[in-house]
Amino acid sequence: MRSIQNAVFRRILAATLSCSVILCASIFLLVAQEFRGELRSQSANAAELILTIAQTTPVHELQTIEQLPQSQNGAEHEYVLAVYTPSEVLYASWPNPPSDISLLDAPLLTIDGEIYQMEHHLDPTTYTRVVVGMLERETILASLEIVAFTVLAFLLVMAAMLWLIRGAIAGGLVHIHRLADEVTKRHHGSLQPIDLELPPELRSIANATSNFMVRLREAIQREREFVSNAAHELRTPLAGIIAQTEAIPKAGLPDEVADPLEKIRQSAKRSARQVNQLLDHAFSQSQVGIQSTPVEICKILTETLVDLTPAADHADVEIEFHCPQTLQSNLPAPLLQIVFQNLIVNALKFSNRPGRVRVTCELGLNKVEVTIEDNGPGLSADEFHKAQSRFGRSNDQPLASGHGLGLAIVGELCADMGIQIDQRSSSDLGGLSAKLLVPILKSSSSKTS
Amino acid sequence: MRVLLIEDDDTIADAVVVRFRREGVHVDHLTNCEGLVVADLEPDFNVVVLDLGLPGKDGLDFLREIRHLGAVVPVLVFTARYAVTARVGALNLGADDYLTKPFDMDELLARCRALARRHGNVTSAILHHRDLVLDTGACAGQAAGKTIRLKPKVFQLLQYFVENRGRVLTKPMIEQQLYGWEGDVESNTIEVFISQIRREIGADYIKTIRGLGYLMSVNET
């Protein structure tokens, strides 16, 4: 779609060109015609004047008037003059006037190969005629000269006017450009009001947009508060159940009490994990408006793994972490943490026993490659993508051991943050290898210890 | 060790009190922090365990207030609020540690002990873990009845592991614990210390988590 400036200018240009063509054609026809008419009128006036002189001049004196000298460059005279009666030519300004006097009465006369347009004037008492001839070629050329000059001047003025119009359009649209720049150059998560001096036509748009962003910010804030409150309301009773089961001394408990107690504890922990995932999902949806700052990817991975390693150790899963460089990204740290955590938790859960999970972070081609591998059964590409749809589950996974939101959250967040996610079989560990390509901010050559 | 527990949920608070007392920790329990002042906290309590979602005065407001007034008592915050956002806020306001509910009781206990130790306001204690017995006052210990001979810094590291068993200790954490912020540590000092500990007590107490740090398991096997 064309820009407003170009569209408006094209319309003005088309209208101007159309009018210019019509005007130029009109100039060509009318001016030329008018010029030639004026020439004939002047010739007729000259003929009348000469006739008046001829009437008062004796014939023999007329015959003594010399002919016009030949012009020095050899060009023909533009005008010729003859005074004649029906019986004789009293005077002719060119040599060898026609012997047939009736030829002088014609509107056009050829003299030495040139055509002259003849204007006649008659004295009705003496039947003396004066004829003034104009070189037709010169008449046409002169009229064309005038037309061309007029059209050229008109076109130059038109061009200057169009240039001024274009400048005026650009000047009129400058506020729209400022508004567009203000909106397009701000951070994608910014919900700040638009603070610009704008003309009245744009002020209403800017105000409506700012009001919308204020309402959106308030809605997002309410959503965040809801997530926080929901977290509290859902987690507190689960925390109570788990705390009570852990407060009961295990020593000496009969099996018929210890087993159900442990099942209660495990069920409560599973519910807590599901609540955490639902909260992660709700939290990630309410992150519009958060401006991110550079974050170290290795630091986020380290913190996540430090939190998860004790549980991994308890579940007989060995964790290995490689991150030889400081690598930064401009993505929101909380969302990155949710992605990493869900993938690592999945790896811990689905790895075999004894389990192995390896997490590596290295610089790829303009991206940071984070790979999470396990020694579990793995997932095919189709199963992996299906698991990223909400509540999808691989057919081979036992229902009691998993829940379907983890990879769905990862899929949605990666799509939102522009992270490419890929799966394959781990060549070393044999299970799933999930690779994330994270947009990089910068990398340094420092080594982590 | 004496702990002040400020938690409004009776189910959670009751479980913590029972478990802590069974481990020999004295616990005082409040359901809110209305009327509490700094003088009530120091020097009586070694650690304050503070829930953030309290009725009346919010836990974060209380934390901000006592830190502003100069209280240095260690505070462990636990909350059921959404972890990612609440954690940063609490730590920025002066909380020393943070746990999300639901939490592991062993972890809560271990972290309280670690906080009390770190702030040096607990007198010598005998620590037990599997076959290990450590007398922190005498800087001496035994492993399966055999006397442990370790230099003070190395013993301090072993004590740090026992007090934080079940937690991954990264190299920066260990270096800060042993040498503080200004300590100048050789790059392989920690590895050497770990190696000495393993020679004295056995190789299966402390696991190396490649790329992360070290872990002394809570597991009793």
Side-chain angles (χ1 to χ4, degrees):
Chain A
M1 186 180 281
R2 289 196 199 105
S3 67
I4 295 175
Q5 183 171 335
N6 284 342
V8 169
F9 184 71
R10 276 173 187 256
R11 287 192 176 194
I12 292 175
L13 184 64
T16 306
L17 284 176
S18 306
C19 292
S20 297
V21 166
I22 294 169
L23 207 53
C24 290
S26 302
I27 290 172
F28 182 79
L29 292 172
L30 295 174
V31 170
Q33 196 173 348
E34 184 65 24
F35 175 71
R36 291 171 68 176
E38 188 61 26
L39 271 183
R40 278 203 290 275
S41 170
Q42 295 298 326
S43 299
N45 288 342
E48 188 179 349
L49 185 64
I50 293 167
L51 180 66
T52 305
I53 296 172
Q55 282 171 337
T56 58
T57 304
V59 173
H60 68 275
E61 285 186 17
L62 278 177
Q63 289 172 335
T64 61
I65 296 173
E66 286 183 8
Q67 289 166 343
L68 290 171
Q70 200 71 18
S71 62
Q72 289 181 349
N73 58 5
E76 296 301 329
H77 293 293
E78 290 181 22
Y79 292 93
V80 293
L81 171 69
V83 181
Y84 64 97
T85 64
S87 58
E88 65 176 326
V89 176
L90 299 176
Y91 172 77
S93 66
W94 69 95
N96 305 319
S99 53
D100 183 359
I101 292 173
S102 66
L103 290 176
L104 291 173
D105 293 334
L108 294 173
L109 182 66
T110 302
I111 301 173
D112 293 335
E114 293 291 341
I115 299 174
Y116 287 83
Q117 222 166 3
M118 310 302 277
E119 292 295 325
H120 301 84
H121 200 80
L122 171 69
D123 179 5
T125 54
T126 61
Y127 297 100
T128 304
R129 282 178 186 269
V130 172
V131 63
V132 176
M134 295 174 291
L135 187 60
E136 194 177 47
R137 170 167 53 87
E138 286 301 318
T139 305
I140 292 170
L141 284 177
S143 64
L144 282 178
E145 248 180 68
I146 290 176
V147 166
F149 177 77
T150 307
V151 166
L152 184 63
F154 173 74
L155 290 176
L156 285 174
V157 169
M158 277 291 117
M161 199 173 72
L162 286 172
W163 180 76
L164 288 171
I165 287 172
R166 192 178 177 96
I169 295 172
L173 294 177
V174 71
H175 293 295
I176 293 182
H177 291 143
R178 280 177 59 224
L179 182 59
D181 280 346
E182 163 66 18
V183 173
T184 54
K185 284 181 181 167
R186 57 171 48 193
H187 186 269
H188 65 86
S190 172
L191 292 177
Q192 295 303 314
I194 296 171
D195 183 21
L196 278 181
E197 284 287 329
L198 292 170
E201 295 90 340
L202 296 177
R203 190 68 246 162
S204 56
I205 297 173
N207 285 344
T209 307
S210 295
N211 290 340
F212 170 75
M213 287 197 281
V214 166
R215 288 197 302 276
L216 183 59
R217 218 171 39 239
E218 288 168 359
I220 289 168
Q221 184 56 32
R222 282 196 297 273
E223 200 172 316
R224 287 186 196 140
E225 285 167 8
F226 170 75
V227 170
S228 189
N229 293 336
H232 185 269
E233 296 307 315
L234 291 169
R235 283 171 165 166
T236 300
L238 289 171
I241 294 170
I242 294 169
Q244 285 291 338
T245 59
E246 290 183 350
I248 296 171
K250 306 293 186 293
L253 268 185
D255 289 346
E256 58 263 28
V257 174
D259 289 345
L261 197 62
E262 182 59 21
K263 286 191 171 91
I264 291 170
R265 182 171 163 274
Q266 292 300 332
S267 181
K269 279 187 173 278
R270 194 162 55 245
S271 295
R273 282 194 297 272
Q274 287 171 333
V275 164
N276 286 342
Q277 289 198 327
L278 287 167
L279 290 171
D280 281 348
H281 179 66
F283 173 79
S284 68
Q285 302 299 305
S286 68
Q287 287 310 290
V288 176
I290 295 289
Q291 299 209 16
S292 49
T293 53
V295 292
E296 280 187 36
I297 297 174
C298 283
K299 185 165 177 278
I300 298 173
L301 283 167
T302 301
E303 286 171 359
T304 307
L305 287 167
V306 163
D307 281 343
L308 293 174
T309 299
D313 180 59
H314 185 73
D316 195 19
V317 177
E318 180 191 331
I319 288 182
E320 203 179 309
F321 180 45
H322 299 280
C323 188
Q325 273 179 290
T326 300
L327 297 164
Q328 290 190 323
S329 179
N330 206 29
L331 296 174
L335 301 186
L336 277 177
Q337 189 176 7
I338 291 172
V339 169
F340 296 152
Q341 186 169 23
N342 274 281
L343 285 173
I344 296 169
V345 164
N346 262 10
L348 295 175
K349 189 188 307 169
F350 294 112
S351 57
N352 289 333
R353 297 295 184 265
R356 282 186 67 193
V357 170
R358 183 191 301 150
V359 178
T360 54
C361 178
E362 54 201 357
L363 181 62
L365 196 64
N366 297 322
K367 300 263 185 185
V368 177
E369 294 182 3
V370 177
T371 309
I372 297 152
E373 306 169 82
D374 63 63
N375 68 338
L379 280 177
S380 67
D382 188 50
E383 287 173 328
F384 188 76
H385 288 297
K386 199 184 293 182
Q388 290 182 62
S389 64
R390 288 188 196 192
F391 301 109
R393 175 179 287 136
S394 166
N395 289 335
D396 293 333
Q397 300 302 327
L399 288 177
S401 70
H403 39 84
L405 206 51
L407 283 182
I409 292 170
V410 167
E412 281 191 20
L413 285 177
C414 285
D416 288 345
M417 292 193 285
I419 298 175
Q420 202 177 318
I421 179 167
D422 193 19
Q423 69 67 244
R424 63 192 66 175
S425 287
S426 170
S427 54
D428 290 341
L429 304 184
L432 175 67
S433 172
K435 180 187 266 194
L436 302 166
L437 297 178
V438 181
I440 190 171
L441 179 66
K442 66 176 182 184
S443 65
S444 71
S445 58
S446 66
K447 302 276 185 183
T448 58
S449 57
Chain B
M1 183 167 71
R2 191 174 177 195
V3 170
L4 174 62
L5 172 65
I6 311 176
E7 165 63 68
D8 65 318
D9 186 276
D10 284 337
T11 312
I12 297 172
D14 176 67
V16 171
V17 168
V18 165
R19 180 61 193 272
F20 272 36
R21 284 178 181 165
R22 195 161 68 237
E23 297 291 333
V25 177
H26 186 87
V27 182
D28 290 284
H29 171 224
L30 294 173
T31 56
N32 61 72
C33 48
E34 296 288 349
L36 261 187
V37 295
V38 172
D40 296 328
L41 305 176
E42 293 172 338
D44 296 332
F45 294 102
N46 306 115
V47 178
V48 174
V49 176
L50 174 65
D51 179 36
L52 292 187
L54 293 171
K57 187 190 279 186
D58 185 68
L60 275 179
D61 292 336
F62 174 71
L63 177 62
R64 186 186 296 116
E65 202 176 280
I66 62 171
R67 288 299 186 234
H68 180 68
L69 291 171
V72 296
V73 60
V75 176
L76 183 149
V77 156
F78 63 11
T79 183
R81 287 184 191 169
Y82 191 66
V84 172
T85 51
R87 173 185 208 142
V88 173
L91 293 175
N92 284 343
L93 283 176
D96 296 275
D97 206 348
Y98 183 98
L99 263 185
T100 311
K101 294 177 186 174
F103 50 85
D104 188 86
M105 196 68 78
D106 286 334
E107 188 165 5
L108 175 63
L109 189 56
R111 291 194 183 201
C112 286
R113 286 195 169 123
L115 280 177
R117 284 265 145 226
R118 200 186 310 165
H119 285 77
N121 53 6
V122 175
T123 53
S124 64
I126 308 295
L127 301 177
H128 297 267
H129 174 59
R130 291 169 54 189
D131 293 336
L132 284 178
V133 180
L134 301 185
D135 183 345
T136 60
C139 286
Q142 290 191 332
K146 182 182 135 205
T147 303
I148 299 169
R149 292 178 217 286
L150 291 169
K151 290 181 184 166
K153 258 305 182 239
V154 185
F155 184 89
Q156 187 184 349
L157 177 57
L158 175 59
Q159 179 183 336
Y160 185 48
F161 270 108
V162 172
E163 287 169 345
N164 289 278
R165 56 187 183 272
R167 289 179 75 189
V168 172
L169 302 179
T170 63
K171 213 166 153 188
M173 288 166 71
I174 295 171
E175 287 169 356
Q176 193 203 326
Q177 173 67 19
L178 296 183
Y179 298 102
W181 293 107
E182 307 300 325
D184 188 18
V185 188
E186 295 284 330
S187 63
N188 67 338
T189 298
I190 305 305
E191 287 84 347
V192 169
F193 284 6
I194 300 279
S195 176
Q196 290 171 1
I197 290 172
R198 282 172 171 157
R199 269 204 300 277
E200 281 297 307
I201 68 173
D204 62 338
Y205 278 87
I206 299 176
K207 287 183 186 174
T208 300
I209 311 295
R210 270 183 281 180
L212 275 183
Y214 302 93
L215 169 71
M216 178 175 275
S217 297
V218 174
N219 295 343
E220 294 298 326
T221 53

